[in-house]
């Protein structure tokens, strides 16, 4: 009875954890960023007025303009999207709950997070990051494959036929959690250490050297992070179930 309850709990944790990994993989909200680098100026109007003595006086009138629009970015493994919104818009809400304009542009974002070059390939600014980019992609794909393999092995072991299937399935789930965790650490390293501002602005940064860039961890990253402990717990539970089945024989 205890083994059956543990198997049920482990299965629930494993299914939810694997779903988290697949949702994070399929959605394009790993990086959410905004910048104010846009076609914007503070215009002034100069007029000449004549006083009572006939002397011309130059008067400069500052024209009040609305705040510049923000350019929002959100991207993941498959797509990199850019569009403009009002400055008061929250970046995460604007990318998810869309009244997004038709001007939204998306390009393929394979091998994200480093880098998607819009011009010359390989882009001279990001070519040195190619190795890190490849590791990020390989770890993500291997983690998904390991999670799926572990789940299939556990489905075959549900009738308590073989303790080896439980141990092997649990081991694959633990491996999947470790791979995704390492991938998340690489992503955090990229976000915190490397020049994310330069990546977000890309070629536009030359025209906006003082642009304000805000970078956030998107919901895809958070979902993947939530799946890691669930997958670890599931793997450990099934390893213990396999051991208990072996001891009972």
């Amino acid at each position: 009875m205890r083994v059956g309850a543990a198997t049920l709990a482990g299965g629930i944790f494993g299914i939810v954890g694997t779903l988290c990994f697949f949702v994070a993989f399929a959605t394009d909200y790993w990086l959410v960023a905004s910048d104010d680098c846009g076609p914007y100026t503070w215009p002034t109007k100069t007029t000449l007025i004549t006083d009572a003595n006939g002397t011309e006086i130059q008067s400069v009138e500052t024209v009040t303009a609305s705040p510049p629009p923000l350019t929002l970015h959100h991207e993941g493994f498959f797509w990199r999207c850019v569009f403009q919104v009002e400055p008061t818009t929250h970046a995460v809400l604007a990318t998810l709950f869309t009244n997004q304009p038709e001007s939204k542009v998306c390009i393929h974002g394979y091998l994200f997070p480093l880098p998607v070059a819009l011009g010359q390939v390989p882009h001279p600014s990001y070519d040195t990051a190619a190795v890190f980019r490849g590791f990020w992609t390989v770890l993500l794909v291997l983690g998904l494959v390991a999670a799926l393999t572990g789940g299939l092995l556990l489905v075959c072991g549900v009738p308590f036929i073989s303790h080896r299937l439980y141990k092997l399935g649990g081991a694959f789930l633990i491996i999947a959690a470790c791979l995704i965790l390492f991938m998340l650490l690489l992503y955090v390293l990229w976000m915190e250490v490397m020049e994310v501002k330069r990546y977000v602005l890309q070629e536009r940064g030359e025209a906006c050297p003082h642009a304000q860039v805000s970078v956030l961890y998107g919901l895809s990253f958070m979902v993947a992070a939530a799946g890691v402990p669930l997958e670890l717990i599931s793997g450990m539970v099934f390893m213990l179930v396999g051991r208990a089945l072996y001891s009972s024989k």
Side-chain angles (χ1 to χ4, degrees):
M1 183 65 180
R2 292 180 180 178
V3 172
T7 302
L8 178 61
I12 293 174
F13 284 127
I15 290 172
V16 176
T18 302
L19 285 176
C20 286
F21 292 163
F22 274 94
V23 168
F25 172 72
T27 53
D28 300 305
Y29 303 104
W30 283 85
L31 171 67
V32 176
S34 63
D35 69 76
D36 59 358
C37 178
Y40 180 77
T41 57
W42 292 95
T44 57
K45 182 180 179 182
T46 302
T47 58
L48 294 176
I49 59 177
T50 304
D51 60 8
N53 298 324
T55 304
E56 290 186 345
I57 302 174
Q58 181 174 317
S59 174
V60 179
E61 177 184 355
T62 301
V63 179
T64 303
S66 60
L70 290 180
T71 300
L72 290 188
H73 312 251
H74 70 86
E75 47 190 280
F77 185 86
F78 291 102
W79 294 100
R80 178 176 187 260
C81 300
V82 180
F83 61 98
Q84 287 193 326
V85 295
E86 293 298 323
T88 56
T89 307
H90 191 278
V92 175
L93 295 180
T95 54
L96 290 180
F97 306 103
T98 59
N99 274 327
Q100 296 176 11
E102 295 181 359
S103 59
K104 178 176 178 179
V105 177
C106 293
I107 63 174
H108 288 297
Y110 301 115
L111 301 181
F112 174 82
L114 292 172
V116 180
L118 298 179
Q120 177 185 351
V121 178
H123 195 285
S125 301
Y126 311 119
D127 191 35
T128 56
V131 174
F132 179 46
R133 173 184 62 189
F135 270 112
W136 190 93
T137 303
V138 169
L139 288 171
L140 178 57
V141 173
L142 287 180
L144 292 172
V145 172
L148 185 59
T149 303
L152 293 175
L153 289 172
L154 292 171
V155 168
C156 295
V158 163
F160 307 108
I161 295 175
S162 172
H163 64 89
R164 292 187 181 88
L165 289 177
Y166 280 94
K167 289 183 178 180
L168 190 58
F172 268 100
L173 294 183
I174 293 174
I175 291 172
C178 292
L179 289 171
I180 297 297
L181 178 60
F182 189 33
M183 181 268 298
L184 292 173
L185 292 177
L186 281 178
Y187 181 79
V188 171
L189 177 66
W190 176 68
M191 288 280 285
E192 301 298 332
V193 176
M194 301 191 70
E195 297 184 20
V196 182
K197 175 181 177 180
R198 188 178 181 184
Y199 170 69
V200 170
L201 293 176
Q202 294 200 23
E203 289 84 355
R204 298 184 307 124
E206 298 176 359
C208 305
H210 304 295
Q212 297 295 320
V213 179
S214 176
V215 181
L216 303 172
Y217 291 93
L219 293 181
S220 298
F221 173 88
M222 298 177 188
V223 170
V228 170
L230 296 174
E231 205 80 349
L232 278 174
I233 293 173
S234 177
M236 294 174 65
V237 167
F238 281 111
M239 292 281 285
L240 293 174
V241 168
R243 184 176 179 181
L245 291 175
Y246 178 75
S247 301
S248 64
K249 291 184 178 181

